[in-house]
Amino acid sequence: QHRGTVDLMRGLLAEIVAVADRQRIALEFEERWQVISALLARAVGGRGSMLQDADARRRTEIEVNNGAIVDAGGRYGVPTPLNAAMVSLVTSMQEAYVA
């Protein structure tokens, strides 16, 4: 993984943990990071399911996953600029291939 990608992923996770914390949901950053890292290590070629969907030009789960974080962040007053950017980027990409 590239350093920039890892930094982005950690930033996305930090926003998720902040939203969870605001909702009084116990979510520990380092424990979640280890789980995510292990999942990606086992993924086909290190490519997560959303990336595999994008490669196959299928609709991803971006709205269900990151979109839900953005929505909850808005309701609870927690900024989620990285998750919002990911939703925008992936949604825009999908518009090019999903009818």
Side-chain angles (χ1 to χ4, degrees), residues 14-35:
E15 290 179 5
I16 292 166
V17 169
V19 169
D21 182 60
R22 191 63 168 262
Q23 296 177 78
R24 294 188 166 101
I25 299 170
L27 202 61
E28 203 280 313
F29 182 92
E30 287 303 326
E31 185 270 333
R32 286 286 92 202
W33 180 251
Q34 293 305 315
V35 169

Side-chain angles (χ1 to χ4, degrees), residues 9-91:
M9 290 169 54
R10 290 180 69 87
L12 290 163
L13 179 57
E15 290 179 5
I16 292 166
V17 169
V19 169
D21 182 60
R22 191 63 168 262
Q23 296 177 78
R24 294 188 166 101
I25 299 170
L27 202 61
E28 203 280 313
F29 182 92
E30 287 303 326
E31 185 270 333
R32 286 286 92 202
W33 180 251
Q34 293 305 315
V35 169
I36 291 166
S37 297
L39 285 171
L40 285 174
R42 289 192 306 266
V44 177
R47 301 173 75 76
S49 65
M50 268 201 270
L51 183 53
Q52 291 175 47
D53 287 339
D55 286 345
R57 301 173 72 84
R58 294 185 299 258
R59 186 173 304 282
T60 69
E61 301 130 354
I62 193 73
E63 286 295 334
V64 173
N65 294 337
N66 302 76
I69 296 301
V70 174
D71 291 343
R75 285 193 311 276
Y76 288 91
V78 178
T80 57
L82 295 176
N83 279 274
M86 289 301 297
V87 171
S88 294
L89 289 168
V90 173
T91 301

